[in-house]
Amino acid sequence: MPHIALVTLVVRDYDEALAFYTGPLGFELIEDTDRGDGSRWVVVRPRGSGAALLLARAADDTQRASVGAQTGGRVGFFLHTDDFARDHARMAAAGVRFLEEPRHEPYGSVAVFEDLYGNRWDLLQPTTP
């Protein structure tokens, strides 16, 4: 069955992005391979998840301009949790910038946060049917 394995996230710097995603967000490092040309293959993912992020350092002015704006200011990434209160508190304590107070919607508990570059994410605990 086809599935999405990786999504590229253009970043300013490998190490600062890696520190954010494996620190405050608690993702696990899957791979960090030097490609020999000054670039690296850096893959992180939420623990226990199948889908992962390829952290790709911007290589030119066009790519640098897209850092933090890959989805035009919309929420573009959705981090699901099985315990919203726990993960919201942990992330807030670790310095993650939430743009709103938690909301409880018919589809679940949610709050929008920004990554270190300004990309918008939903922390979401979906309602169980």
Side-chain angles (χ1 to χ4, degrees), residues 79 81 84 87-88 91 98 109-111 113 121-124:
L79 183 59
T81 177
F84 180 87
D87 290 332
H88 182 271
M91 291 167 62
F98 281 88
S109 298
V110 62
F113 69 92
W121 290 68
D122 270 359
L123 175 63
L124 174 64

Side-chain angles (χ1 to χ4, degrees), residues 66 68-77 118-120:
S66 74
Q70 292 186 182
T71 60
R74 294 186 58 107
V75 171
F77 306 95
N119 293 301
R120 290 181 177 208

Side-chain angles (χ1 to χ4, degrees), residues 48-95:
S49 177
L53 291 176
L54 173 65
L55 303 178
R57 187 185 66 209
D60 59 31
D61 288 342
T62 301
Q63 290 178 15
R64 279 187 282 281
S66 74
V67 172
Q70 292 186 182
T71 60
R74 294 186 58 107
V75 171
F77 306 95
F78 300 82
L79 183 59
H80 282 201
T81 177
D82 61 356
D83 188 333
F84 180 87
R86 174 199 65 209
D87 290 332
H88 182 271
R90 178 187 57 77
M91 291 167 62

Side-chain angles (χ1 to χ4, degrees), residues 22-68:
T22 61
L25 292 193
F27 287 20
E28 62 183 338
L29 174 62
I30 302 304
E31 183 175 356
D32 186 352
T33 303
D34 186 329
R35 296 180 63 193
D37 60 357
S39 69
R40 292 158 48 187
W41 187 262
V42 181
V43 178
V44 296
R45 71 174 176 210
R47 296 186 186 282
S49 177
L53 291 176
L54 173 65
L55 303 178
R57 187 185 66 209
D60 59 31
D61 288 342
T62 301
Q63 290 178 15
R64 279 187 282 281
S66 74
V67 172

